[in-house]
Amino acid sequence: MEAPPILPKPVSSPKRKGRKKYLFVAIMFLGLVAWAAVASLKKNDSAISVQTEKVSRHTLTETVVANGKIYPVKQVHISPEVSGEITELHVKEGQFVHRGDLLLKIKPEFYKASLNQAEANYQSSLASKTTSAANLEKAEAEFKRNKELFGQKLLPESEYISFKVAHDVAKAQVESSKHQVEVAKANVDSAQESLDKTTLLAPMDGTITKLNSQAGERVLGTVQNAGTDIMVISDLSAIEARVDIGEADIVNLQPGQKAKMEVDSFKDKKFVGIVTDVANSSEGLDARSALGANSSSQQSATLFQVRILFQEVENFRPGMSVTATIETRTRTNVVTAPIAAVTARNLKNKNGGTNSVAGGETNTVSAEVKKSDGKSGDNRNKPTEVVFVVDGENVKAVPVKLGISDDSFYEIMDGLKEGEEIVIGNLNAITRTLDDGKKIKKTPGGKDKDFTE
């Protein structure tokens, strides 16, 4: 059997080796180009995108917003002074009444009987007075006759003293009967007044805004009790809003300030009002809570009631919800900054260390930010309001002193000048990523665009 022939090894072509070499070089070149492009992009991305505008002047009006209810300025709660059953009810809810109009009557039989009894006692006291006067006249005559006999020594001294005492007693009984007549007359007047109070008349012109009782119901008088609240009469020609204000804002409120009010039932209209009264003490404050007896009231929010008079009256009904915007302070033509441009930072301490910024980042600030307010202790580490001012391609964190504010701007009392360019967006950059000296890249969008990238 013959062995298979041995084939010669293939010889590689020099042209194929050159192609592989060129391919490898090309791949390396493309890798270097891609690396340079990525590095360039990273370099460009190190600049933070922001929006800017120049500091300008505005007129600011600070406002306080509060919610509350609508009430008549004048309203009267009608409660009877005597107890009994309502026998007649002459009004209904929503009815307009004039002063002196009949509202209702309470069953009078009991009070008529009391009046008759008082009058009988009065007549009896008058009779007693007459009897006492007659007894006195008799005692005086006997005393006078026996006094003459005693002067002539015809009557023993003991009998004379008896006639004198009888005269004095009769005189005292006359005085007593006079006072009994006065007491009986007062009882008659009181019984008559109680009977008169079974008829209730309207104390003022107004509308029956609430009716709690009906004919046939028994009501409780206010002589020794709180009494039944039968109805409420309100003067709807003058309406006010009663709103609750927190203790942080109440110090800026005073009578005479203007307010704009929105009533939920009149959504398409705004009303003008004037502050008429600002409470001097918080709601729910009494002697017990002042002494610390009511712990639950101390844990709740401290609110003060403010009354605002409507300058224009619509078909309001007591109890409607209202939102009031009260104008507290106004500044004219002052340096301002948008609210979004102001943030807080922990400034660098005097030893040159770094502190955390108000977003969790580390902030190394320049000498511009080292400005101290002169306070010592923990206040040095307290976050300070700052605005980022554009300095070429970088920003400076400039501390500012704030004044009042409205819905859009802060008053800048110190730290900025009119015409300086400041950062107003994006929100994430201002609150977190921007630091003193950081590089920025201006992008369009303006103050109305909110970037959070």
Side-chain angles (χ1 to χ4, degrees), residues 126-435:
L126 288 177
S128 298
K129 179 182 177 182
T130 303
T131 301
S132 299
N135 291 334
L136 176 61
E137 185 176 355
K138 178 182 177 182
E140 283 181 346
E142 290 180 351
F143 174 67
K144 184 176 181 181
R145 184 176 64 253
N146 287 282
K147 184 178 180 181
E148 292 177 356
L149 294 175
F150 178 73
Q152 297 173 4
K153 300 187 182 297
L154 299 175
L155 184 70
E157 184 179 1
S158 59
E159 292 186 12
Y160 168 76
I161 293 175
S162 297
F163 284 109
K164 184 177 183 303
V165 170
H167 173 264
D168 294 339
V169 169
K171 190 175 181 181
Q173 286 178 345
V174 169
E175 293 296 325
S176 176
S177 63
K178 289 181 180 178
H179 294 305
Q180 288 177 356
V181 169
E182 293 175 356
V183 171
K185 183 63 171 66
N187 289 335
V188 171
D189 294 340
S190 176
Q192 182 65 55
E193 185 179 2
S194 296
L195 179 61
D196 294 341
K197 288 177 179 177
T198 59
T199 300
L200 274 69
L201 306 178
M204 57 177 255
D205 294 348
T207 303
I208 308 296
T209 54
K210 194 172 184 180
L211 184 61
N212 300 319
S213 301
Q214 298 295 330
E217 294 184 12
R218 292 191 61 85
V219 293
L220 190 64
T222 59
V223 177
Q224 295 178 344
N225 304 280
T228 302
D229 192 6
I230 298 178
M231 67 183 72
V232 179
I233 301 178
S234 304
D235 180 8
L236 299 182
S237 63
I239 299 295
E240 67 182 6
R242 299 177 188 176
V243 299
D244 294 330
I245 303 293
E247 58 184 323
D249 298 318
I250 194 66
V251 293
N252 296 324
L253 269 67
Q254 58 186 2
Q257 292 174 334
K258 293 183 179 180
K260 296 180 180 178
M261 292 177 286
E262 298 181 11
V263 182
D264 291 352
S265 301
F266 300 86
K267 296 182 179 179
D268 298 331
K269 189 172 183 180
K270 291 187 177 181
F271 301 91
V272 178
I274 300 295
V275 175
T276 57
D277 182 70
V278 179
N280 289 317
S281 59
S282 64
E283 296 180 356
L285 182 64
D286 53 21
R288 293 188 62 192
S289 61
L291 295 174
N294 192 353
S295 59
S296 60
S297 64
Q298 292 178 347
Q299 295 175 357
S300 60
T302 302
L303 299 175
F304 295 79
Q305 187 181 87
V306 175
R307 300 190 179 194
I308 307 170
L309 179 65
F310 279 85
Q311 300 299 294
E312 178 184 358
V313 177
E314 285 285 350
N315 188 24
F316 295 136
R317 298 187 180 183
M320 285 183 172
S321 298
V322 61
T323 300
T325 303
I326 307 170
E327 300 177 358
T328 56
R329 294 180 291 179
T330 299
R331 299 287 187 270
T332 304
N333 195 31
V334 294
V335 176
T336 62
I339 291 178
V342 181
T343 187
R345 289 290 190 274
N346 284 339
L347 301 183
K348 185 176 179 181
N349 57 38
K350 294 182 178 181
N351 296 327
T354 59
N355 294 326
S356 297
V357 297
E361 302 290 334
T362 300
N363 186 25
T364 305
V365 294
S366 65
E368 178 73 21
V369 190
K370 291 182 181 179
K371 189 184 300 181
S372 173
D373 59 359
K375 297 180 180 179
S376 60
D378 295 337
N379 288 338
R380 289 180 297 179
N381 296 324
K382 184 178 179 181
T384 302
E385 288 82 8
V386 299
V387 172
F388 291 101
V389 178
V390 176
D391 184 14
E393 295 184 352
N394 302 87
V395 292
K396 295 186 299 183
V398 178
V400 292
K401 182 179 180 182
L402 304 179
I404 69 170
S405 65
D406 60 8
D407 294 337
S408 303
F409 294 93
Y410 274 120
E411 175 192 7
I412 305 299
M413 302 178 67
D414 187 27
L416 294 180
K417 296 180 180 179
E418 184 179 4
E420 286 186 302
E421 188 175 8
I422 60 174
V423 175
I424 63 169
N426 61 67
L427 180 62
N428 183 63
I430 294 175
T431 58
R432 285 187 173 86
T433 58
L434 270 184
D435 285 335

Side-chain angles (χ1 to χ4, degrees), residues 36-63:
V38 171
S40 177
L41 288 175
K42 287 185 177 180
K43 184 177 180 180
N44 291 334
D45 287 343
S46 63
I48 301 174
S49 298
V50 297
Q51 294 80 48
T52 65
E53 75 172 21
K54 293 187 180 298
V55 175
S56 58
R57 292 180 177 270
H58 293 86
T59 296
L60 304 184
T61 300
E62 187 178 60
T63 59

